[in-house]
Amino acid sequence: RIGNPEWVRKEGMVAFAGYPLIVENRLVGVAATFARGPLDEDALNALEAIANSVAIGIERKKTEQAREELLAREKAARHEAEILNHLGNLAFAELDLEKLVQAVTDAATELTTAQFGVFRYSAVADGNESNVLLAISGVARDAFNQSPPRGNATDLAASFGRSAGMVRYDDIRTDPRYDEHAPLFAMPEAHLAVRSYLAAPVVSRSGEVIGGLFFGHENAGAFTAAHER
């Protein structure tokens, strides 16, 4: 039952001892020892004690990691709550629309861990409706000089679909649903490579899509369902 008998013969091994590593009544590994001579009772007792110590160490390490993960989640949840609370207060206190939208875009970019975030909305000027870039976070505004806003409210609504729901791509380079020519998906210049993409419609109380928040990241799979929420 020895896994590598050729190695055993080459090295002149004649004895073997294996002890299970038990953590919370689960087998998590084996402490295995080979020897070129017989293992006496004292050696076996020592090996058993060592194996038990290793198992205790693994259990403590797992407990420590679980504690650190819990603390990290609690810290992230507190941070998210603080940002959302700040935005809630800002929505009632800030009368300057551009400042409000910029604050929302900055906060959303931080919460989603995106490399850049953009807010576009549909505006009417001189009787013509257009898609306007109102706020950007994470990159300079001139990064979008080569990809000016395109389309109107109808284009925005169509891009989000009838349900005006979230749009998320783990990798726009491989996802067949992605259309780089659609008005919704105008991206910054080529030097800012985007793979992960997340978009959230901004919907009026009447149910009309009046704009959207758009986020990008150079790594694939950067956005999750938690970021959508």
Side-chain angles (χ1 to χ4, degrees), residues 58-77:
I58 292 175
E59 184 175 7
R60 287 177 177 173
K61 184 62 177 177
K62 291 183 67 176
T63 301
E64 179 183 340
Q65 289 176 338
R67 178 177 176 274
E68 290 176 353
E69 291 173 1
L70 179 60
L71 290 174
R73 287 198 297 269
E74 290 180 351
K75 182 178 179 180

Side-chain angles (χ1 to χ4, degrees), residues 20 29 31 69 93 111 124 134 147 150 162 196-197 218-219:
E69 291 173 1
L111 286 174
V124 177
L134 185 61
S147 57
R150 305 184 298 272
R162 292 182 179 180
S196 293
Y197 186 87
E218 65 182 356
N219 295 333

